[in-house]
Amino acid sequence: MKNKITFFLFASAFASLLQAQTPVYLDPSKDIEARVEDALSRMTLAEKIDVIHAQSKFSSAGVKRLGLPDFWTDDGPHGVRPDVLWDEWEQAGQTNDSCVAFPALTCLAASWNPDCARAYGHALGEEALYRGKGMILGPGVNIYRTPLGGRNFEYMGEDPYLTSRIVVPYVQGLQSCGVASCVKHYCLNNDEQYRHQVNVIISDRALHEIYLPGFEAAVKEGKAWGIMGAYNLYKDEHNCHNQYTLNKILKHDWGFDGVVVSDWGGAHNMDQAVKNGLDMEFGTWTDGLTMGATNAYDMYYLSKGYQKAILEGKYTTKELDEKVRRVLRLFFRTTMNKQKPYGFLCSESHYEVAQQVAAEGIVLLQNEGNVLPIKPEGKKILVVGENAIKMMTVGGGSSSLKAQHEISPLQGLQMRLKGKAAVEFARGYVGDVSGDYNGVTTGQNLKDDRAPEVLLAEAVEMAKAADYVVIFGGLNKSGHQDCEGTDRKTMALPYNQDKLIEAIAAVNKQTIYVNISGNAVCMPWRKQVPAIVQGWFLGSEAGIGLADVLLGNTNPSGHLPFTWYEDLNQVGAHSFGEAAFPGIWREGKKIIDEEYKEGIYVGYRWMDKQKLKPAFAFGHGLSYTSFKVSGLKAASKETADGNMTFTVDVTNTGSVEGSDVVQLYITDQKCSVDRPAKELKAFQKVSLKPGETKTVTLRTDRRALSFWDEQAGDWKAEPGDFIAWAGDSSDRLPCKVKFVLK
Ligand code: BGC
């Protein structure tokens, strides 16, 4: 009897031990929603709390008892960020986290090619899978409101339509790998300096017509699985827990079924975090980056305190279950997704994508006397400037990478010109010699103690003896340049580059200036320098991408995704004093109100309204061939439902193969509200052999004719006369056709 009892006790203890330790795997044959409900019904309160907040800098807990793995996120958006320590920003020191650095998103947008964006997202997804990441923190779709914006390089330019067409395939490409996209920073995070304190004041029209469409497209068409709330405030609530932007617009109006992730340290208050749409809390008490408590995860707003408040009856589990449902849905789409492909790191195909995007995104801004492409045979080519040698994949904030390799512009030219031409280098100026971020160092020693006059004199002397001079200048990824957390202080080029460029152009008629940046810069010497190229931040293959364009192996086909203003006087955001930028501090200096007084008139919309001529217009981009856009026709002269089909011919009138971007803009001729002179509503990139003509079909829908009706809180298209314009730049639209919305 005693033995029997002992056996029974032993057996039942063993059984309960087994029950406690064996994962209760969920039935994989059920569809996602059924699995979500199944998992939810089995989770304890503590387990539910665990999955809605971080457990380390970039991960949150799964539910091991149910076989749900921990969830790992990572930046984003140009490559997969190297691993940091569990609770510190220093490097973990992995040997398998060197990645392919893809061109920055400004370059991707400048390709005007949705296929490039899909390939980009997919390649990035494969890298993320290899690294065990379930979510990439990107892409960024905040609108380029001012050229001072420190993070513009991570975004897709000034136009909501172009941004929408690029973000959708990026998200789809990435998520086809079973890796979630976390589209950021939702919303109105258009400058950096006071990003934690800025409260944006904006009209409903500007919000809906300019600043939200990129997010809306990512959600409705791209079906993004994640959205990152922005640091700043809107209607006096932080955007990581904002009743209006998250609960109403994102989740209710757009039907978003994914997770809202806080930007790192963007949650500020338990009650709002519980009620106002936040689903996963990351980075709290890290002050975004460095300060605060260590291993503070239990202290998060959506952690133990929330659990206690539920147990004490302050909240029911209604909001909690809703958050957990979304997190579980994310798990089943990513870590628990059995259809996921395998991941690859640094594969050839990823480098090809990086090169392709660079090739399609580099913009030829100016080419007087056809100085470009360089005819190198037997020539002496002088390369000048710090940006010819400086690695740009390290720095700039959270998008900083540890690239497997980065080919500098100088190396690219040397590689391509080996045995064909002599390539010399002069430093020209010393800018910023630092090269580290979070413990990743470039390993470059860029120190040069010579005086600025000495460097300038050397470059000018060498320029006199060269057949061509290629100056690589612009910005870099240090603070107050193209860098997270700060904005630029001026639109001028730093480090006295203007003086250097002018001096070189004065002694060499074949001077080419390549600008490396994610932002427009002032170019007071523009008329003296025959050729100007916008070279972005191009990642691993930068040097190859640039050399191929300069030498004509690639015919440039990038077009500007933003207006290249002459100076800040031309910028809407800078035309209303400090109230409109950077804002005015409230008493107590905790909140700074920034009122977007230019409203919907951002970029070319502003230039048109003010009748200003920029240095280079939105949509501008030259080629080594020439194109003619002609014969715009509307399939019908009137529409009842708002859908329109247009055809337009594009002819390559030059002697080499090339690609043009046909752009269609629409004007509402008479409307009860003030409307922009024209707005981009369709485009297509077409490749053409010399002499070839293609007829391009462009379709627009009712939304293309609509404005945001503030009274109705909805889109409205007013019947009446419209004009469609076609051409290949916002300031070069030779064709027009009229039509009527009935
Ligand atoms: C940035 C985000 C980034 C996050 C995690 C924040 O400071 O604003 O864009 O994804 O850090 O690194």
Side-chain angles (χ1 to χ4, degrees), residues 325-343:
R325 261 191 199 98
R326 289 171 182 269
V327 174
L328 289 170
R329 200 174 286 134
L330 177 71
F331 289 173
F332 290 115
R333 287 167 163 170
T334 58
T335 51
M336 296 292 287
N337 176 349
K338 293 228 162 58
Q339 314 299 324
K340 286 199 302 265
Y342 288 105

Side-chain angles (χ1 to χ4, degrees), residues 536-554:
W536 312 115
F537 295 110
L538 296 177
S540 290
E541 301 290 90
I544 294 295
L546 289 165
D548 281 344
V549 163
L550 295 170
L551 301 172
N553 306 335
T554 298

Side-chain angles (χ1 to χ4, degrees), residues 637-644 666-673 675 702 704-707 709 715-723 739-742:
K637 290 279 178 222
E638 51 181 48
T639 166
D641 59 7
N643 293 331
M644 288 292 297
I666 288 186
T667 304
D668 187 353
Q669 283 200 279
K670 203 165 145 266
C671 186
S672 59
V673 298
R675 297 200 69 180
R702 192 174 186 90
L705 311 181
S706 307
F707 62 93
D709 180 348
W715 294 95
K716 182 173 184 187
E718 282 181 352
D721 297 342
F722 288 81
I723 304 175
F739 64 95
V740 178
L741 173 67
K742 299 232 309 187

